[in-house]
Amino acid sequence: MSTVKSYAAKHADQPLGPFELIRRTPGPKDVEIEILYCGVCHSDIHMARNEWGGTIFPIVPGHEIVGKVISVGAEVSKHKVGDTVGVGCMVDSCGTCGSCAEDLEQFCENGMSGTYSSYLQDKKTITYGGYSTHIVVTEKFVLSVSDKLPIEGVAPLLCAGITTYSPLRHWNVKKGDKVAVVGLGGLGHMAVKLAAAMGAEVTMLSRSPEKAKDADSLGAHHFELTTDPENMKRLKGSYNLIIDTVSASHDYATYLNLLKTNGVMVLVGVPPTPEQIHATSLIFGRKSLAGSLIGGIKETQEMLDFCAEHNIVSDVEVIAMDEINEAYERTIAGDVRYRFVIDMASLKK
């Protein structure tokens, strides 16, 4: 075992601060990683403040991890010392259930092991995330990262990237499809980039007119204000697929009305309270309201390879570890374009 530096929240009402944690001694199937960059996800904030309930304290957040392999176990074959690798939102699963057999480890029927505030498959060992200098992860859950891309921009792909890539792939987005993205933030900006790279005609739907320029630079073909009633009437029946990234309370029916017949609206944001819809919003037009989480390990690797091929990374602002509490407040205020990433060298000083 080894002691490593990290930042943790010890209670829901306390800021994050320095914390020493114990990493396990790497086993024969383990990969030991020196963390270089870790993205800051809004989920980190929800968990650190126990806003969803069930947080295990002290919590070391961080599930958008990129680093270098510094040691491997005797049975490791996919990775070697010196490789650039990533770790996303999960670090293990049972490997035997139906979901795991279909490469859907995120839906493991015995409970996947989240990268932080979770338990390993022994259901006893608590996991600690990427706001730390090192991490030890079983080989299967370590992803290969191309050296063609700036790794600080790769880090958020491990959550924001795969969260938006997975529904685009599942609903088979292709050239000529009309895709709308609701909300231009950490998830929304990745959805625009990925859908455009897949050949879709992409529209950004937003309440903020000042985001039109950013939407254009990210690859959106159209920008539409959702605060204009006449605009929304004009857009009725326009889209094959809508990716809804908004985590604030909002009216789903407003956007379901914009779907074509047989269209699908996919939720990847998590509003704080349940939303109600009338059955007629779905019945007329045989529309679907669906949800999507992250992807499995196979699909996450596919996403990383796709991004390397198409030169896609997240737009990031790099911060030092001791700026994390300010970054949380700025994230809540929407004052980041579009993802904070922590330079872990700042934690080693």
Side-chain angles (χ1 to χ4, degrees):
M1 295 187 292
S2 60
T3 301
V4 304
K5 293 181 177 180
S6 73
Y7 257 52
K10 295 182 179 179
H11 300 284
D13 59 354
Q14 292 185 2
L16 280 78
F19 179 72
E20 288 192 342
L21 64 87
I22 304 297
R23 294 293 190 196
R24 71 177 184 267
T25 300
K29 296 182 180 180
D30 284 336
V31 177
E32 185 179 11
I33 302 163
E34 177 187 6
I35 300 174
L36 301 179
Y37 293 95
C38 183
V40 178
C41 177
H42 208 128
S43 298
D44 298 348
I45 302 172
H46 290 306
M47 292 293 289
R49 298 179 178 182
N50 200 27
E51 291 172 348
W52 291 338
T55 297
I56 304 168
F57 290 100
I59 176 177
V60 176
H63 56 205
E64 299 178 343
I65 300 166
V66 175
K68 292 285 185 181
V69 176
I70 58 174
S71 73
V72 297
E75 297 178 20
V76 171
S77 59
K78 293 196 303 179
H79 308 287
K80 64 182 185 303
V81 172
D83 284 354
T84 304
V85 295
V87 177
C89 301
M90 52 187 172
V91 291
D92 208 356
S93 69
C94 78
T96 58
C97 70
S99 293
C100 287
E102 294 181 21
D103 297 314
L104 298 172
E105 298 92 351
Q106 73 273 32
F107 302 129
C108 176
E109 292 152 34
N110 293 300
M112 62 89 165
S113 297
T115 305
Y116 63 80
S117 195
S118 182
Y119 293 96
L120 294 179
Q121 289 302 295
D122 63 7
K123 307 303 180 184
K124 297 177 182 178
T125 305
I126 298 170
T127 59
Y128 298 101
Y131 294 7
S132 58
T133 58
H134 297 76
I135 193 169
V136 178
V137 181
T138 188
E139 177 185 29
K140 181 179 177 181
F141 288 79
V142 177
L143 298 141
S144 298
V145 172
S146 171
D147 289 323
K148 295 194 302 183
L149 300 175
I151 59 173
E152 64 271 24
V154 169
L157 300 181
L158 277 304
C159 179
I162 186 57
T163 297
T164 48
Y165 181 88
S166 188
L168 291 169
R169 289 287 288 126
H170 181 77
W171 277 278
N172 193 32
V173 168
K174 58 191 180 301
K175 185 176 177 60
D177 284 349
K178 293 187 175 182
V179 174
V181 178
V182 185
L184 185 51
L187 291 173
H189 95 288
M190 287 308 312
V192 169
K193 289 187 177 190
L194 291 165
M198 292 175 182
E201 182 180 332
V202 183
T203 299
M204 167 52 59
L205 301 174
S206 176
R207 297 173 55 87
S208 306
E210 65 273 12
K211 291 190 175 181
K213 185 177 179 180
D214 278 6
D216 179 69
S217 67
L218 293 166
H221 302 93
H222 311 284
F223 180 89
E224 301 287 355
L225 275 178
T226 59
T227 53
D228 182 345
E230 292 303 315
N231 215 29
M232 296 299 276
K233 286 181 182 179
R234 176 177 59 83
L235 295 173
K236 182 178 179 180
S238 293
Y239 306 111
N240 303 104
L241 181 73
I242 296 175
I243 303 292
D244 185 345
T245 72
V246 176
S247 291
S249 295
H250 58 295
D251 181 14
Y252 292 155
T254 298
Y255 299 101
L256 287 166
N257 192 48
L258 307 185
L259 288 172
K260 293 176 177 285
T261 299
N262 294 321
V264 181
M265 178 166 141
V266 185
L267 308 180
V268 294
V270 184
T273 56
E275 304 294 334
Q276 289 188 337
I277 62 166
H278 198 282
T280 54
S281 296
L282 303 173
I283 290 171
F284 289 99
R286 196 163 58 192
K287 300 168 184 177
S288 299
L289 179 63
S292 185
L293 192 62
I294 55 172
I297 293 300
K298 181 179 179 180
E299 187 173 59
T300 305
Q301 186 63 62
E302 177 188 300
M303 177 273 304
L304 289 171
D305 296 343
F306 179 89
C307 288
E309 178 184 353
H310 294 273
N311 197 32
I312 295 173
V313 291
S314 291
D315 290 12
V316 303
E317 179 178 336
V318 179
I319 61 170
M321 187 71 255
D322 62 6
E323 298 176 275
I324 188 61
N325 292 300
E326 178 188 355
Y328 273 17
E329 297 308 317
R330 287 181 57 194
T331 298
I332 293 168
D335 180 25
V336 57
R337 294 186 176 176
Y338 280 96
R339 206 72 158 189
F340 286 113
V341 172
I342 306 163
D343 181 352
M344 282 304 156
S346 64
L347 183 55
K348 299 168 189 174
K349 295 177 180 178

